[in-house]
Amino acid sequence: MALQLARGAVTAHGTIGPMSDESSPRPAYDSAFLRACRREPVPHTPVWFMRQAGRALPEYRKLREGTAMLDSCMRPDMVTEITLQPVRRLGVDAAIFFSDIVVPLKAIGVDLDIVPGVGPVVAEPFRTARDLDRLPVLTPEHVPYITEAVRALVGELGATPLIGFAGAPFTLASYLVEGGPSRNHARTKALMYGEPELWSQLLDRLADITLAFLRVQIDAGASAVQLFDSWVGALPAQDYRAFVQPHSARVLAGVGDVPRIHFGVGTGELLHDMGAAGADVVGVDWRVPLDEAVRRIGPGKALQGNLDPTLVFAPDDVVRRKVHEVLVAGKAAEGHVFNLGHGVLPETDPDVLARIVDLVHAGV
Ligand code: 1CP
């Protein structure tokens, strides 16, 4: 463990320059993944999968048996093992830290749970100005298990980069205001349009928490971050710019020392504005081809995506053709990180994911 901690310290802020000091190379700096994020030439297109650590892997299901989701996120030994599982099995180019977007909210004392088969459920939904008092500032002391797990992982991963992540203010607000998963985010939007002042204060608090949570991961050695605004596609671009973008932009500006990926689902109309919020890499879902996404986003960004997650259930020749299509469209981008257009579905056969990794690396 001592060795792992020492390596974690060396690779903290591991992507500012090729060397952390005169003598210690940063193992992940020259990885294909970080090079693509920086829009530099790559030996092959890098690939990882959102939700690659999770229910699609039998070894994950076995390890999680008898441990509640949030409890597993607070145990560095489990977090480390679960994060490494897909790296070992699939040969992906990056690891994503195993946690959940609601972990920082739980850590500061919000009464919530992750209910199996449902998702995050908040005991007392947020609706009034008084509820802001339930959102204190997050400090590293709230999440020592995150620091410990990231340090251990960076040591274990060596040259494979670790992606830290957090939920963006809008998506976190949606869970807090609705009290759980929601199809149309009606109460969230009612608050946003009906009480813009309170909305702004709520998103401001959430931006502070998100930024602090990402900083903990970067300071412990994460070499890139992904800001998930999964549900912001519910908004038209004009309202995104007015009610959401300034808060997400403040988060992204605070983590500018590593590559920043910004992703949402159904965000075809928002791609330009999400890039303009301060992302280095814009995540694209499967609805917009990557060459069209490049036109919408404009120059100076890398792209991440965007194979339809359901395609893993198609025959092998279809998978091959669709991977090819994504790779060809991705050539229009200044940098391309291959991924699915949203998370791995739990029913996915991991062997198909491993095959996709091979196809991407071969550049079919
Ligand atoms: O491998 C990885 O990607 C790391 C693991 C990870 C990540 C990145 C988990 C574990 N959660 C997340 C982020 C997350 N959590 C997002 C953003 C990504 C996305 O859009 O998919 C969101 C929206 C959540 C909220 C959440 N947590 C949901 C969705 C509910 C809804 O609104 O539809 C669910 C089902 C969870 C629980 C959860 N988080 C992670 C896992 C493996 C699980 C399932 C827990 C279980 O085993 O029951």
Side-chain angles (χ1 to χ4, degrees):
M1 182 55 95
L3 177 68
Q4 289 170 1
L5 290 177
R7 290 186 65 180
V10 167
T11 52
H13 303 288
T15 61
I16 302 166
M19 305 288 279
S20 56
D21 59 44
E22 293 299 313
S23 58
S24 11
R26 293 169 175 158
Y29 183 81
D30 261 325
S31 61
F33 168 74
L34 288 174
R35 292 185 66 89
C37 291
R38 296 193 300 261
R39 293 174 283 123
E40 295 169 3
V42 286
H44 56 79
T45 301
V47 49
W48 68 280
F49 303 110
M50 291 183 274
R51 301 279 183 115
Q52 65 190 18
R55 285 168 296 172
L57 303 187
E59 59 269 38
Y60 167 82
R61 293 196 296 266
K62 188 155 186 294
L63 191 65
R64 276 282 322 281
E65 257 169 40
T67 309
M69 175 65 194
L70 280 172
D71 291 340
S72 67
C73 294
M74 292 173 191
R75 284 186 46 184
D77 57 337
M78 283 189 84
V79 171
T80 305
E81 175 56 23
I82 292 171
T83 303
L84 292 172
Q85 283 173 348
V87 179
R88 290 191 203 110
R89 182 195 265 261
L90 306 175
V92 285
D93 292 272
I96 179 148
F97 188 67
F98 180 77
S99 190
D100 192 83
I101 58 169
V102 297
V103 165
L105 301 176
K106 178 80 177 175
I108 58 167
V110 175
D111 186 358
L112 62 84
D113 199 4
I114 293 183
V115 178
V118 179
V121 174
V122 178
E124 287 175 68
F126 282 52
R127 304 278 161 77
T128 71
R130 273 202 320 277
D131 293 321
L132 293 173
D133 296 340
R134 292 196 273 145
L135 292 176
V137 175
L138 179 115
T139 68
E141 290 71 36
H142 286 110
V143 285
Y145 44 86
I146 300 286
T147 299
E148 191 183 333
V150 171
R151 283 182 178 166
L153 271 166
V154 171
E156 292 275 341
L157 283 163
T160 303
L162 177 68
I163 304 168
F165 77 89
F170 177 88
T171 291
L172 290 179
S174 164
Y175 286 107
L176 288 179
V177 175
E178 306 290 339
S182 162
R183 183 181 283 267
N184 50 25
H185 311 282
R187 284 177 182 275
T188 311
K189 287 160 99 174
L191 182 71
M192 185 182 92
Y193 292 121
E195 295 185 71
E197 189 57 38
L198 176 57
W199 173 260
S200 174
Q201 288 172 350
L202 175 61
L203 262 66
D204 217 33
R205 290 282 177 105
L206 291 171
D208 287 340
I209 293 164
T210 290
L211 176 53
F213 190 62
L214 289 174
R215 287 259 36 116
V216 167
Q217 296 172 68
I218 295 167
D219 291 345
S223 51
V225 289
Q226 176 151 330
L227 186 63
F228 281 99
D229 212 349
S230 299
W231 313 136
V232 78
L235 298 183
Q238 191 182 348
D239 296 335
Y240 172 79
R241 287 193 294 271
F243 293 107
V244 176
Q245 192 192 38
H247 304 283
S248 298
R250 188 159 68 77
V251 175
L252 291 166
V255 291
D257 45 346
V258 297
R260 299 155 289 190
I261 309 167
H262 197 18
F263 168 79
V265 183
T267 47
E269 300 299 325
L270 305 181
L271 288 173
H272 178 81
D273 294 317
M274 289 180 73
D280 302 293
V281 184
V282 180
V284 183
D285 84 359
W286 65 93
R287 294 174 178 88
V288 182
L290 292 180
D291 47 353
E292 170 59 18
V294 168
R295 280 188 283 279
R296 295 184 188 188
I297 293 164
K301 308 284 177 192
L303 261 56
Q304 178 174 281
N306 70 344
L307 189 75
D308 186 331
T310 66
L311 265 165
V312 297
F313 307 115
D316 188 62
D317 59 318
V318 178
V319 172
R320 190 185 175 90
R321 194 175 75 238
K322 290 292 181 184
V323 168
H324 177 73
E325 280 174 21
V326 171
L327 285 173
V328 169
K331 288 196 195 307
E334 294 172 41
H336 177 208
V337 176
F338 193 101
N339 206 314
L340 302 179
H342 196 191
V344 172
L345 296 166
E347 306 79 16
T348 301
D349 176 355
D351 289 347
V352 178
L353 295 177
R355 163 123 173 99
I356 292 171
V357 171
D358 290 344
L359 290 170
V360 173
H361 285 167
V364 300

